Amino acid sequence: MKVEDVKVVGVLGAGTMGSGIAQVCAMAGYEVVLRDIEERFLERGMENIKKSLSKFVEKGKISEDEMKATLERIKTTTKLEDFENVDVVIEAIIEDMEAKKAVFRELNDIVKREDAIFASNTSTLSITEMAAVTRKPENFVGIHFMNPVPLMKGVEIVRGLLTSEETVQFACDFVRKLGKEPVVCKDSPGFISNRILMPWINEGIWVLYEGIATKEEIDRGMRLFTNVPMGPLELADLIGLDIVLAAIETLHRELGDKYKPCPLLKQMVRAGLLGRKTGRGFYDYTKK
């Protein structure tokens, strides 16, 4: 398939990543079918898209008419059957291998187009394993966007064991059409981004856990020392501590003890202190 052939993109999952992916696809002129399992998730996702687009209007990056046109290109549904006529599927559901494989198995019998591209936005899980349950594993690829999707330029293109070179090239061309920059890598736990980023965050949590410095000094120090916009604890709160833990546990399971998650991270997830999305994580956001 060529990028010029794509008319409709199906996005699975209307959470933070899925809604962001739907937004950038619609902004690029594609018709988008956004699917989630419950209407309330779709409503929340569309509300996030509207807020994001409104900020683009406020900054003069798009017009009111462009915002309206973008929203009109996004159709929401709870029915997987509505993916029948999509050209590209991008999955952005929970980071659970069995859940992802289950939905791709269903799509095998739903998506009509024989050369349709199936992609996963997973941040750590095996592209090769997901591809194995699809009708054409050579047409399966990892397309890992960064959060927040509308603002972050880099996108990981992950080549599974059986992913064809044509599919990799398509994925690169597709994300460029979305205004992004592709970075290609092989299928390996955490790929490039989380293989490096998650240990950095985890080590920041260990430093706090061991009492070496306060959370404020850890984050301030890393901003000053490395010129990053956010320290490890601030970034963990933005990503979501549950998502961070799941990613680190995958790396630990696949790559060994040097990726062992800090006990403090586990405790905070068990306590429901997940960061910005719950109002409290390493920092308290209810006071702001």
Side-chain angles (χ1 to χ4, degrees):
M1 187 192 295
K2 303 293 184 184
V3 169
E4 299 77 36
D5 300 329
V6 178
K7 300 292 186 293
V8 185
V9 178
V11 179
L12 290 164
T16 301
M17 297 304 294
S19 62
I21 294 166
Q23 177 183 326
V24 296
C25 289
M27 289 178 76
Y30 295 115
E31 297 296 321
V32 176
V33 181
L34 178 60
R35 187 259 183 180
D36 214 313
I37 56 175
E38 292 185 31
E39 195 64 42
R40 62 191 175 102
F41 299 142
L42 291 166
E43 290 173 1
R44 188 185 308 157
M46 288 304 298
E47 198 57 44
N48 288 338
I49 292 171
K50 289 173 186 175
K51 287 178 182 177
S52 177
L53 289 171
S54 293
K55 290 178 181 177
F56 277 89
V57 172
E58 287 171 15
K59 294 177 181 178
K61 294 184 177 180
I62 62 172
S63 67
E64 289 277 2
D65 287 343
E66 287 171 321
M67 174 177 171
K68 182 180 178 183
T70 298
L71 290 170
E72 287 175 350
R73 291 189 198 104
I74 304 172
K75 310 301 180 188
T76 62
T77 183
T78 57
K79 298 177 181 177
L80 206 54
E81 290 76 14
D82 288 338
F83 274 44
E84 182 180 33
N85 296 312
V86 304
D87 303 304
V88 176
V89 174
I90 304 176
E91 170 273 315
I93 66 171
I94 58 171
E95 281 289 88
D96 179 272
M97 178 59 80
E98 293 310 312
K100 291 177 187 293
K101 289 197 293 187
V103 77
F104 281 120
R105 283 193 190 97
E106 287 191 68
L107 287 171
N108 280 326
D109 299 321
I110 292 172
V111 177
K112 279 185 176 180
R113 185 163 185 162
E114 283 298 315
D115 62 346
I117 300 297
F118 285 7
S120 175
N121 182 63
T122 182
S123 58
T124 57
L125 300 177
S126 172
I127 294 301
T128 301
E129 185 174 345
M130 280 182 251
V133 305
T134 65
R135 64 195 182 201
K136 288 190 174 181
E138 65 272 23
N139 287 5
F140 197 103
V141 64
I143 303 182
H144 178 213
F145 294 83
M146 304 296 137
N147 184 29
V149 178
L151 301 180
M152 298 294 283
K153 295 286 287 185
V155 179
E156 278 182 311
I157 305 302
V158 186
R159 180 191 283 110
L161 183 64
L162 298 178
T163 306
S164 71
E165 194 55 47
E166 291 78 9
T167 298
V168 172
Q169 186 59 56
F170 169 87
C172 290
D173 293 341
F174 178 73
V175 300
R176 288 191 186 103
K177 181 75 185 296
L178 303 183
K180 308 298 184 185
E181 285 294 328
V183 177
V184 179
C185 66
K186 294 180 180 178
D187 187 18
S188 180
F191 317 132
I192 299 170
S193 59
N194 283 326
R195 176 76 176 261
I196 296 168
L197 181 62
M198 289 303 160
W200 184 73
I201 291 175
N202 193 42
E203 200 61 31
I205 301 171
W206 275 105
V207 170
L208 178 65
Y209 180 66
E210 293 172 6
I212 295 169
T214 66
K215 60 192 176 188
E216 292 84 3
E217 289 297 273
I218 293 167
D219 283 333
R220 190 171 73 91
M222 293 311 296
R223 290 197 303 272
L224 291 170
F225 305 152
T226 63
N227 204 30
V228 293
M230 303 180 80
L233 308 180
E234 295 170 305
L235 184 55
D237 276 356
L238 177 65
I239 295 169
L241 272 62
D242 52 339
I243 295 171
V244 170
L245 178 59
I248 292 172
E249 286 180 332
T250 297
L251 292 170
H252 184 216
R253 183 172 62 251
E254 297 283 343
L255 300 174
D257 280 347
K258 74 174 182 176
Y259 297 96
K260 182 180 179 180
C262 179
L264 177 59
L265 175 59
K266 289 185 174 182
Q267 288 173 343
M268 292 183 71
V269 171
R270 287 168 184 156
L273 304 176
L274 307 183
R276 289 178 181 264
K277 62 185 174 184
T278 59
R280 287 179 63 197
F282 290 105
Y283 298 91
D284 187 347
Y285 301 93
T286 62
K287 299 176 181 178
K288 293 183 179 181

